[in-house]
């Protein structure tokens, strides 16, 4: 018998515990996904810690409540990139939002489809937390006002094996414009014109390609692309970085993409650049 400490992928107020405990007859790893009972409803949850019941016997006996069983183990091994947990943790602390909500924001929306697509999971024994956690304090100010030839030069200088490059755009107009300009300049990379409205299968295929990289990828997309499962990022570029669209204020959680991009770049020791010329 095992105890799972999990974070539900639903909104739980900050005043309530963000980490809940359940028991299961089967073992699972950190980052696995389970279905739990939360009040009168079901919710997906991510395993943060798993250990045998024998290690918590004393605490269980003294508790004035009884643990509930996990309803279902959907995947016993992690299918998320470590950066996803780093970003969720950063959003929670920096913007003072519940970890349950920040984790739901960062992780893929169609989890059940993704779990079925990645069967068996690709990231067995993946470490979820790196020791060199990124902070804003050690971030450098990125270069601003790059012109297009300089941008192409930055892309072609990427020397990582199976490198990943992210270019964020504030609008669909920007994205389509730069996609067609880049198509003729970076033929040596897999250029992806990402959209959150992609069909589920197309999204899952990109997810698989990024979390288990075997080729160079350049992904062009809106600000939500910052939460894709990056594993080998070498360059992050924000087009028209002064555009107010990068500050998410219309819906929760509120965050600034420029701030999050610094955490993302620091985590991978990737170069960060702001592009402001048309």
């Amino acid at each position: 018998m095992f105890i799972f400490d999990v974070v539900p992928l639903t909104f739980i107020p900050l005043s309530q515990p963000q980490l809940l405990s359940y028991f299961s007859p089967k073992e699972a790893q950190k980052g696995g996904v389970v279905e739990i009972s939360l009040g009168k409803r079901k919710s997906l949850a991510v395993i943060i810690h798993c250990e045998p019941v024998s290690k918590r016997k004393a605490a269980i006996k003294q508790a004035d409540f009884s643990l509930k069983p996990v309803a279902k183990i959907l995947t016993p091994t992690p299918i998320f990139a470590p950066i996803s947990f780093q970003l969720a943790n950063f959003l929670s602390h920096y913007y003072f939002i519940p970890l349950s909500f920040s984790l739901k924001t960062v992780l893929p929306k169609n989890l059940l489809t993704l779990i079925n697509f990645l069967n068996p999971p690709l990231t067995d024994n993946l470490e979820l937390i790196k020791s060199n956690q990124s902070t804003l304090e050690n971030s450098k100010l990125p270069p601003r006002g790059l012109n297009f030839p300089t941008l192409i030069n930055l892309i072609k200088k990427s020397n990582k094996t199976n490198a990943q490059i992210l270019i964020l755009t504030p609008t669909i107009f920007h994205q389509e414009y730069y996609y067609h300009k880049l198509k003729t300049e970076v033929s040596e990379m897999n250029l992806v014109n990402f959209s959150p409205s992609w069909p589920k299968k197309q999204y899952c295929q990109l997810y698989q390609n990024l979390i288990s990289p075997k080729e160079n990828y350049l992904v062009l997309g809106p600000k939500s692309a910052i939460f894709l499962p990056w594993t080998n990022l070498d360059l992050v570029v924000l087009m028209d970085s002064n555009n107010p669209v990068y500050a998410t204020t219309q819906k929760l959680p509120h965050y600034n993409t420029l701030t999050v991009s610094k955490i993302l770049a620091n985590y991978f020791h990737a170069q960060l650049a702001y592009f402001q010329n048309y």
Side-chain angles (χ1 to χ4, degrees):
M1 196 69 71
F2 297 88
I3 300 292
F4 292 171
D5 295 325
V6 304
V7 176
L9 297 180
T10 187
F11 182 85
I12 297 179
L14 272 172
S15 58
Q16 301 297 317
Q18 299 295 301
L19 204 62
L20 306 178
S21 297
Y22 292 79
F23 73 86
S24 169
K26 296 181 179 180
E27 188 177 9
Q29 296 180 19
K30 293 185 296 183
V33 181
V34 295
E35 185 181 89
I36 59 171
S37 297
L38 198 61
K40 295 182 179 180
R41 58 194 172 98
K42 299 286 187 182
S43 173
L44 298 183
V46 177
I47 301 169
I48 301 300
H49 183 69
C50 171
E51 66 180 5
V53 170
S54 57
K55 292 188 176 181
R56 294 200 195 175
K57 273 188 176 179
I60 292 173
K61 287 181 179 179
Q62 294 174 5
D64 56 358
F65 59 89
S66 58
L67 290 180
K68 292 182 179 180
V70 166
K72 187 188 298 183
I73 298 178
L74 299 174
T75 172
T77 52
I79 60 169
F80 310 120
I83 184 59
S84 299
F85 293 86
Q86 292 279 18
L87 291 180
N89 195 47
F90 170 76
L91 290 176
S92 177
H93 286 83
Y94 192 79
Y95 293 104
F96 202 61
I97 58 177
L99 179 60
S100 55
F101 194 43
S102 66
L103 196 56
K104 182 180 180 181
T105 301
V106 167
L107 296 183
K109 302 296 183 288
N110 301 308
L111 264 184
L112 294 179
T113 303
L114 184 63
I115 289 169
N116 292 330
F117 187 87
L118 301 178
N119 189 21
L122 300 174
T123 54
D124 196 10
N125 298 318
L126 186 65
E127 283 294 330
L128 298 185
I129 303 296
K130 278 192 174 181
S131 58
N132 57 331
Q133 293 195 8
S134 302
T135 62
L136 286 176
E137 284 71 21
N138 59 15
S139 62
K140 298 178 181 179
L141 288 175
R144 291 177 177 266
L146 300 176
N147 54 35
F148 193 74
T150 306
L151 173 62
I152 297 300
N153 191 42
L154 279 176
I155 293 171
K156 292 187 175 182
K157 277 186 176 180
S158 178
N159 55 13
K160 278 186 180 180
T161 303
N162 302 326
Q164 298 168 341
I165 294 174
L166 170 62
I167 299 180
L168 297 174
T169 61
T171 67
I172 294 177
F173 168 78
H174 288 82
Q175 186 171 333
E176 291 299 321
Y177 174 76
Y178 286 113
Y179 174 72
H180 290 291
K181 286 195 72 172
L182 287 167
K183 264 200 308 188
T184 58
E185 299 285 349
V186 290
S187 56
E188 68 277 8
M189 300 193 76
N190 291 293
L191 180 61
V192 178
N193 195 16
F194 171 72
S195 170
S197 60
W198 270 4
K200 294 178 182 179
K201 187 174 181 180
Q202 188 177 5
Y203 173 83
C204 290
Q205 186 61 62
L206 176 63
Y207 192 99
Q208 184 179 46
N209 292 339
L210 293 179
I211 204 168
S212 185
K214 296 177 182 177
E215 298 179 282
N216 294 338
Y217 274 90
L218 192 162
V219 178
L220 194 68
K223 60 186 178 183
S224 62
I226 204 166
F227 297 131
L228 286 171
W230 305 106
T231 51
N232 197 32
L233 203 59
D234 197 33
L235 173 65
V236 181
V237 180
L238 275 76
M239 313 300 280
D240 189 18
S241 57
N242 287 333
N243 197 302
V245 170
Y246 285 122
T248 304
T249 57
Q250 299 300 316
K251 62 177 183 178
L252 293 173
H254 301 316
Y255 64 89
N256 191 310
T257 308
L258 276 71
T259 303
V260 179
S261 68
K262 293 177 184 177
I263 297 298
L264 182 66
N266 284 347
Y267 183 88
F268 290 102
H269 305 290
Q271 186 167 356
L272 175 64
Y274 293 160
F275 186 95
Q276 294 172 332
N277 295 341
Y278 291 87

